[in-house]
Amino acid sequence: MEVIHKIGRRKTAVARAYVSPGKGNITINKKDLANYFTTATLQYKVKQPLVLTNNDDNFDITVNVFGGGITGQAEAVRLALSRVMCEIDAENRLILKPEGLLTRDPRMVERKKFGQKKARKKFQFSKR
């Protein structure tokens, strides 16, 4: 098996995952997983597709991720790894699909409107 390359997106974050056979090392933007995603919740999100398919020690993973915030980046990485697991074995799709890990979350930030403070919030009306 050669290197498998897949892309995952969430909000404005884009993650490119490169997966090859190995010992379970996960590198994100040339940093270790624990150094890049410091909270246990984000580390769990990244490892979720690997743990569900029992592949957490079978592959070396290198990820380039940019844009968005830290949570969006973690979820973009999760989508990319889920897509890779489906390419490795088609039966993994039956495990990941019910968990919702193969669905690209379409929610984006709503744009700010002219004449308003934010997307929905209005300027305060003052009566004198």
Side-chain angles (χ1 to χ4, degrees):
M1 176 186 126
E2 70 279 352
V3 177
I4 296 177
H5 169 247
K6 289 288 177 188
I7 293 177
R9 293 185 181 94
R10 171 74 172 100
K11 292 189 177 179
T12 57
V14 179
R16 292 190 187 94
Y18 301 90
V19 178
S20 58
K23 295 186 171 84
N25 300 325
I26 301 177
T27 309
I28 299 172
N29 288 354
K30 299 181 182 172
K31 291 183 181 179
D32 189 53
L33 173 68
N35 292 337
Y36 195 81
F37 294 119
T38 53
T39 63
T41 310
L42 296 177
Q43 292 174 20
Y44 168 76
K45 280 185 180 183
V46 170
K47 290 183 177 179
Q48 198 174 3
L50 303 171
V51 172
L52 288 173
T53 58
N54 298 320
N55 286 320
D56 36 348
D57 295 330
N58 299 344
F59 300 104
D60 284 343
I61 300 166
T62 305
V63 180
N64 294 331
V65 63
F66 63 92
I70 199 83
T71 305
Q73 287 186 352
E75 293 179 13
V77 171
R78 179 173 69 177
L79 179 60
L81 292 180
S82 298
R83 288 176 172 172
V84 168
M85 291 300 118
C86 286
E87 178 137 335
I88 289 170
D89 187 2
E91 292 185 8
N92 288 338
R93 184 173 181 82
L94 300 173
I95 300 166
L96 297 173
K97 185 75 173 160
E99 298 291 325
L101 299 182
L102 294 174
T103 306
R104 181 356 183 147
D105 194 339
R107 294 177 295 173
M108 299 290 280
V109 176
E110 189 174 338
R111 76 175 197 87
K112 181 194 172 298
K113 312 306 186 300
F114 173 76
Q116 297 180 10
K117 198 171 182 79
K118 291 171 33 177
R120 304 266 174 121
K121 187 174 184 179
K122 312 285 193 278
F123 285 113
Q124 183 171 341
F125 178 75
S126 62
K127 208 177 200 183
R128 290 186 196 216

